[in-house]
């Protein structure tokens, strides 16, 4: 039997004036209260870039341009892989439409933030953007 490719979750790194946008998850219970790069699952037939544009519109109410991947892909499980992309441009004011809160962090703040475990793998890559 062929082994299916893992499904992809995409997340966006938005930087403005030396600060990175983080979003605090409301669910599931084991991730609630932890900070992440906002994003979500790629739908069937959708490109990862299109999925990230859609997710950031739904979650933050902004229109983004997606750039290159940031850091390495992270395995969330046998069936789910997580990838971050740099957001090179965005329009609008980011608003927590689906998260508990948003926060813009500088390099010093980033070191002290409680990130979801998967996103912590990108810390050096994210710090390099600031
Ligand atoms: N995830 C993560 N780090 C991120 C974004 C997501 O570790 N920066 C993880 C959390 C979940 C999975 O990826 O285990 C899917 O993320 P979401 O729940 O945010 O994605 P969706 O909103 O698309 O999921 P659903 O369809 O379940 O609502």
């Amino acid at each position: 039997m062929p082994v299916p490719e893992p499904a992809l979750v995409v997340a966006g790194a938005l930087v403005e004036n030396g600060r990175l946008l983080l979003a605090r998850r409301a669910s599931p219970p084991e991730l609630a209260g932890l900070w992440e790069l906002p994003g979500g699952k790629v739908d069937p037939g959708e490109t990862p870039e299109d999925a990230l544009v859609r997710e950031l519109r739904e979650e933050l109410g902004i229109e983004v341009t997606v750039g290159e991947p940031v850091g390495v892909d992270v395995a969330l499980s046998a069936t789910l892989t997580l990838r971050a992309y740099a957001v090179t441009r965005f329009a609008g004011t980011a608003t927590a439409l689906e998260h508990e809160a948003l926060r813009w962090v500088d390099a010093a703040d980033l070191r002290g933030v409680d990130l979801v475990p998967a996103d912590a793998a990108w810390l050096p890559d994210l710090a390099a953007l600031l």
Side-chain angles (χ1 to χ4, degrees), residues 3-28:
V3 179
E5 287 281 306
L8 192 61
V9 179
V10 290
L14 277 77
V15 175
E16 189 174 47
N17 300 325
R19 289 173 188 262
L20 171 72
L21 183 68
L22 295 179
R24 197 168 72 210
R25 288 191 68 100
S27 66

Side-chain angles (χ1 to χ4, degrees), residues 6-68:
L8 192 61
V9 179
V10 290
L14 277 77
V15 175
E16 189 174 47
N17 300 325
R19 289 173 188 262
L20 171 72
L21 183 68
L22 295 179
R24 197 168 72 210
R25 288 191 68 100
S27 66
E30 61 272 22
L31 298 180
L34 300 178
W35 297 85
E36 68 173 6
L37 298 186
K41 292 186 189 117
V42 179
D43 286 340
E46 198 177 36
T47 67
E49 289 85 354
D50 286 348
L52 188 55
V53 169
R54 175 183 53 73
E55 287 284 351
L56 298 187
R57 184 184 296 137
E58 291 172 0
E59 295 189 351
L60 305 176
I62 59 174
E63 293 299 322
V64 305
T65 304
V66 177
E68 294 297 312

Side-chain angles (χ1 to χ4, degrees), residues 66-79:
V66 177
E68 294 297 312
V70 174
V72 295
D73 289 1
V74 179
L76 291 171
S77 69
T79 56

